Amino acid sequence: MLQVCLNGARSRAECSRLPVTPDELAAAAREAVAAGADDIHLHPKDRHSQDTLDGVAVAAAVHAVRDAVPGIPVGVTTGAWATADPQARAAQIRAWTLLPDHASVNWHEDGAAQVAAALLDRGVGIEAGIYSGTPAAQRFLAWPESRRVLRVLAEITGTTPQDAVHAAAGLLDDLESAATPILLHGEDAAAWPVLRLAASRRLDTRIGLEDTLRLPDGSPAPSNAALVRAARETIQRAAQDTPW
C-alpha cells in the first residue's frame, strides 16, 4: 500500500505548492490517486492555515477529498501541536460530525492512549505513530489495546540519509512483536532511502509533501502526484531487484 501525505504541518512559507484548503486538498488527492496512491493522510487547516482538529475543518477537508476520490480511505492527524491538551483533543474527536476512515496518534505524545480511546469509541481506525529515537514503541506495545489499531506508522525522524536505514532497521526490530501491519516512512533527506527500504521489505509506505519537498534526484517536487509517481517507480525497481 502506498499512502500519500498531502500537506502535514508545513506552511506555504516552506512550499508554495502546498495544498491547504479543502478544494486544494481535493485536487491534490485526485491527482495523487491517479498517479498511484492507495490511501490518503492529510492535516485539516484553520483559516490561518494552521493544523486544527476542529470538527468543522475536519468535516470540510474529509468531505471534499472523499468526493474527489470515492472509495479511497482518508485519514487525518491528531498531533499535539494542533491541540496540546490530550483531554481537549479527545473531546474534539468525540465532537466530530463527519468521521475520517483513520487518524494518526503519536505515541511519544502525552495522552496518546486517551486520544486513541476516543477514536476507538467513534469507530475510527488508528494509525499508531511510532517515532524513531523516542520511547514510543515501548509505550505503544504496553498499551492493552495495541492489537486494535489499523496499522503502525514507523516514522524515521531527524536522521541523515546515511543513518536512516540503520535507524529504520532498529525501529522495525523494536516493533517486531506488534501484531498489526507496519507502514514505514522517513522525512526530508531520509524519505527516499527509507521508502526504498520499505519497498525491499514489502512493507506499506508513504510519500507526499508532508514528508519531503524533493524528488529522488534532489529537484523540487512540483506536486504530490509527482512524488507518488516517483515512489511507484522506486517500488517497482525494488520489486525487480529483490529476490523473494
Side-chain angles (χ1 to χ4, degrees):
M1 187 271 284
L2 177 61
Q3 182 182 82
V4 63
C5 45
L6 294 175
N7 55 357
R10 296 189 191 272
S11 70
R12 287 266 174 77
E14 296 175 85
C15 177
S16 61
R17 307 169 299 285
L18 194 78
V20 172
T21 69
D23 286 346
E24 291 168 350
L25 289 165
R30 187 182 299 111
E31 293 172 358
V33 169
D38 305 305
D39 190 283
I40 293 166
H41 172 78
L42 61 87
H43 291 208
K45 306 283 186 178
D46 63 18
R47 61 190 180 90
H48 301 294
S49 299
Q50 299 297 310
D51 284 10
T52 181
L53 306 184
D54 172 73
V56 173
V58 170
V62 172
H63 177 72
V65 171
R66 279 209 179 116
D67 273 1
V69 288
I72 300 296
V74 180
V76 302
T77 184
T78 64
W81 56 86
T83 300
D85 179 67
Q87 186 171 346
R89 252 181 293 155
Q92 286 179 302
I93 290 166
R94 291 192 172 94
W96 286 351
T97 57
L98 191 154
L99 298 177
D101 297 287
H102 51 76
S104 59
V105 179
N106 297 321
W107 234 260
H108 65 282
E109 295 175 351
D110 291 340
Q114 184 177 358
V115 173
L119 291 168
L120 288 176
D121 288 347
R122 300 298 312 273
V124 178
I126 294 171
E127 295 185 309
I130 311 298
Y131 282 28
S132 60
T134 75
Q138 292 75 20
R139 291 181 182 178
F140 170 69
L141 292 172
W143 181 46
E145 306 290 342
S146 62
R147 292 176 180 267
R148 295 181 64 189
V149 305
L150 176 66
R151 67 177 66 93
V152 166
L153 298 181
E155 309 193 36
I156 309 306
T157 63
T159 188
T160 65
Q162 293 77 16
D163 295 334
V165 172
H166 177 75
L171 184 55
L172 291 175
D173 286 344
D174 291 342
L175 292 167
E176 188 174 10
S177 64
T180 186
I182 291 178
L183 185 156
L184 175 66
H185 74 101
E187 63 178 21
D188 296 323
W192 292 107
V194 173
L195 186 141
R196 286 190 287 271
L197 176 64
S200 72
R201 295 200 179 194
R202 302 186 75 178
L203 294 172
D204 294 340
T205 190
R206 80 178 200 183
I207 202 70
L209 292 174
E210 173 174 355
D211 284 351
T212 181
L213 303 179
R214 297 193 174 275
L215 295 168
D217 64 4
S219 61
S223 65
N224 281 290
L227 290 167
V228 169
R229 281 191 291 271
R232 279 293 177 203
E233 292 171 2
T234 300
I235 292 167
Q236 289 173 358
R237 285 196 297 272
Q240 294 168 358
D241 296 341
T242 304
W244 306 117

